[in-house]
Amino acid sequence: MIAALLEAVGDAAAVLSYDEDRTFAALSLSHFGSVGSSRLDWSGAEVLRSSPTFAGGELQKLLRELGRLDELAVVFWGNLAVPSLALEAGLVAAHADAILECCSECWVYLVDSGVLIEFQDGEGFTAGRVSR
């Protein structure tokens, strides 16, 4: 699935190196504790939106409401063997269904807006501001 996503977006997406991944994770994911093995602990965070919906249309809506479609977005996958991607948020929105089909959990970090969107299959979305 991720190969199909990369083929669809072409050179517009950058596959992050380990060091790049860790740098972006330090700016976003690392600001949160975890609940269980992979869910973020949102207690104490500024939660902007929560939605029990787990469809691509909801991710598109969140991206438009909470960030700019022309800003850099980093997609982290629940499977650590899959490299993170950096691409324009508009491309994440355009390929939201494909992104959500790639795995049962992922996170999208909107770099300029400082917003992190968590997706957990079966639970939906939580979006919040990353404290800087």
Side-chain angles (χ1 to χ4, degrees):
M1 287 294 213
I2 292 177
L5 175 63
L6 285 171
E7 185 175 322
V9 298
D11 292 339
V15 175
L16 299 182
S17 69
Y18 175 80
D19 290 338
E20 291 167 330
D21 174 270
R22 295 296 79 205
T23 297
F24 282 112
L27 295 171
S28 59
L29 294 171
S30 296
H31 286 254
F32 300 87
S34 65
V35 175
S37 63
S38 63
R39 286 189 356 232
L40 297 181
D41 180 359
W42 291 91
S43 60
E46 181 185 354
V47 175
L48 302 170
R49 302 269 190 291
S50 290
S51 171
T53 305
F54 38 96
E58 187 66 16
L59 178 56
Q60 292 170 341
K61 180 180 170 185
L62 290 168
L63 290 165
R64 288 185 179 102
E65 287 180 5
L66 302 175
R68 294 185 339 271
L69 294 180
D70 65 342
E71 76 179 283
L72 180 65
V74 176
V75 180
F76 300 95
W77 310 101
N79 180 346
L80 297 177
V82 179
S84 298
L85 300 177
L87 63 162
E88 197 171 82
L91 283 172
V92 175
H95 298 280
D97 287 324
I99 288 170
L100 298 183
E101 288 175 10
C102 287
C103 65
S104 59
E105 55 202 21
C106 67
W107 299 265
V108 178
Y109 177 51
L110 300 171
V111 176
D112 292 339
S113 299
V115 170
L116 184 65
I117 302 169
E118 177 177 41
F119 170 72
Q120 295 284 332
D121 192 16
E123 295 180 30
F125 295 93
T126 304
R129 189 152 326 275
V130 176
S131 60
R132 294 185 184 198

